[in-house]
Amino acid sequence: MGKFSLLNLPAHPPIKPSPPGVFEFPAFAGGSEALLNANLEAAGKGAVVIVGGGDTATVVAQYGAEGKLSHVSTGGGASLELLEGKVCVPRFSMGGRR
C-alpha cells in the first residue's frame, strides 16, 4: 500500500477513491486503512482532502476520522460537482463557503 501513499500525497487536492478490497472484513481492510492514513497524513500537512461516496465515507467513519478531513460526503456525485466548482445548494445556503 506504500505505492498508493506515495502516489496520493502530491495530489492537490488528494481525492480518496473507492475503498480497495472488501473493507467490511478485517482480513481485507488493510488497503482501505492504508489509503485513509495517507489521506490523513496529507490533511495533517494542510492539504484539502475530499472524500465522497457511501462506501468511502463508511471507511472514514469506521476509523473515526470524519473531523480530520476537509470534506466527507456519502454523495460521490456531489463530491465530483464540488471539485468541478459547481454551486451546491446546501453549500450555497451556508453562505457560499468554498
Side-chain angles (χ1 to χ4, degrees), residues 38-70:
N39 282 275
L40 290 170
E41 181 181 343
K45 293 179 179 178
V48 173
V49 179
I50 298 170
V51 175
D55 286 339
T56 309
T58 298
V59 170
V60 173
Q62 182 175 314
Y63 290 98
E66 301 98 317
K68 299 175 183 175
L69 300 169
S70 309

Side-chain angles (χ1 to χ4, degrees), residues 7-88:
L7 290 174
N8 199 39
L9 285 178
H12 299 284
I15 302 166
K16 172 78 173 71
S18 298
V22 185
F23 70 91
E24 296 91 346
F25 299 106
F28 303 106
S32 295
E33 184 179 9
L35 263 178
L36 175 60
N37 286 335
N39 282 275
L40 290 170
E41 181 181 343
K45 293 179 179 178
V48 173
V49 179
I50 298 170
V51 175
D55 286 339
T56 309
T58 298
V59 170
V60 173
Q62 182 175 314
Y63 290 98
E66 301 98 317
K68 299 175 183 175
L69 300 169
S70 309
H71 175 79
V72 179
S73 171
T74 57
S79 296
L80 291 175
E81 288 184 4
L82 173 69
L83 288 171
E84 292 174 17
K86 291 183 178 178
V87 174
C88 175

Side-chain angles (χ1 to χ4, degrees), residues 87-98:
V87 174
C88 175
V89 175
R91 188 178 72 198
F92 179 75
S93 66
M94 293 187 312
R97 289 181 36 203
R98 291 187 177 254

